Amino acid sequence: MGTQNVSEAHIEGICPADKEQCLKLEKAAIKIQSWWRGNMVRWTLLHAALRAWVIQCWWRSMQAKMLEQRRRLALRLYTCQEWAVKVQTQVRMWQARRRFLQAHQAACIIQSHWRWHASQTRGLIQGRYEVRASRLELDVEILMT
C-alpha cells in the first residue's frame, strides 16, 4: 500500500474490499515489508561480516608473513654473527700457531747452537807440540768435565 494509509485508500475507493479486509491486507503488507527489511538487514550484516572476515584473514596472513620475514632476518643475522666468530677464532688460532711455530723454531736453533757449543767445550783439550827437523812430537791430554 506504499505511502498511503489503509483508511485513506478505503475512503478514496482504492481498496475494493471492506474496511476489515483492508486492515488484514495492511497487516499482511506490514508483515511482508518487515520480513523483507529483516532479510535485507540480515543480508547486509552478513555481507559486512564476511567482508570484515576476509579483511581479518588477509591481515593475519600479512602479519604471519612479516613475522616469518623478521624471524628469517634474525636467523640470518645470528648465522652471520656466528660465522664471524668462527672466522675470528680460526684467524686467532692460525696467528697463535704461527707464533708458537716461530718460537719453537727459535728454541730449536738456540738449543742446537747451545749443544754444539757445549760439545765443543765439554772436554778441555790441552796439549803442546813441537816441530823438530825430522819429526813431530805431539803430547795431547783430554780432560773431561
Side-chain angles (χ1 to χ4, degrees):
M1 295 264 145
T3 60
Q4 291 181 345
N5 199 349
V6 174
S7 58
E8 290 174 5
H10 189 55
I11 292 171
E12 292 175 9
I14 298 174
C15 190
D18 62 347
K19 190 174 182 181
E20 191 177 301
Q21 193 177 5
C22 253
L23 286 175
K24 284 182 182 177
L25 286 174
E26 184 178 357
K27 286 182 182 179
I30 290 172
K31 280 186 177 180
I32 291 171
Q33 287 173 353
S34 66
W35 172 81
W36 179 252
R37 278 192 221 106
N39 279 341
M40 292 305 292
V41 167
R42 282 188 292 277
W43 183 85
T44 304
L45 290 175
L46 175 66
H47 282 271
L50 287 175
R51 288 180 184 119
W53 179 72
V54 166
I55 291 170
Q56 288 171 351
C57 287
W58 172 81
W59 179 247
R60 286 185 193 117
S61 70
M62 291 305 295
Q63 282 182 327
K65 285 179 184 178
M66 289 187 304
L67 182 65
E68 181 66 20
Q69 285 177 348
R70 278 185 276 170
R71 188 189 66 80
R72 285 185 182 178
L73 180 63
L75 183 62
R76 197 174 304 137
L77 288 174
Y78 174 76
T79 304
C80 286
Q81 288 173 349
E82 287 297 311
W83 181 80
V85 168
K86 286 183 181 182
V87 168
Q88 286 177 347
T89 303
Q90 293 294 324
V91 168
R92 288 179 182 149
M93 186 175 68
W94 174 75
Q95 288 173 340
R97 182 165 174 78
R98 191 182 67 188
R99 283 192 299 267
F100 170 77
L101 290 176
Q102 286 174 347
H104 183 264
Q105 185 179 12
C108 287
I109 290 172
I110 291 170
Q111 285 175 352
S112 68
H113 285 271
W114 178 254
R115 287 182 185 139
W116 178 83
H117 177 72
S119 71
Q120 293 298 315
T121 60
R122 182 176 298 151
L124 184 59
I125 301 176
Q126 293 180 351
R128 54 186 185 96
Y129 64 94
E130 270 184 51
V131 178
R132 296 196 180 170
S134 62
R135 62 177 190 208
L136 170 66
E137 285 188 22
L138 184 59
D139 185 15
V140 177
E141 286 184 27
I142 299 175
L143 300 173
M144 301 296 280
T145 58

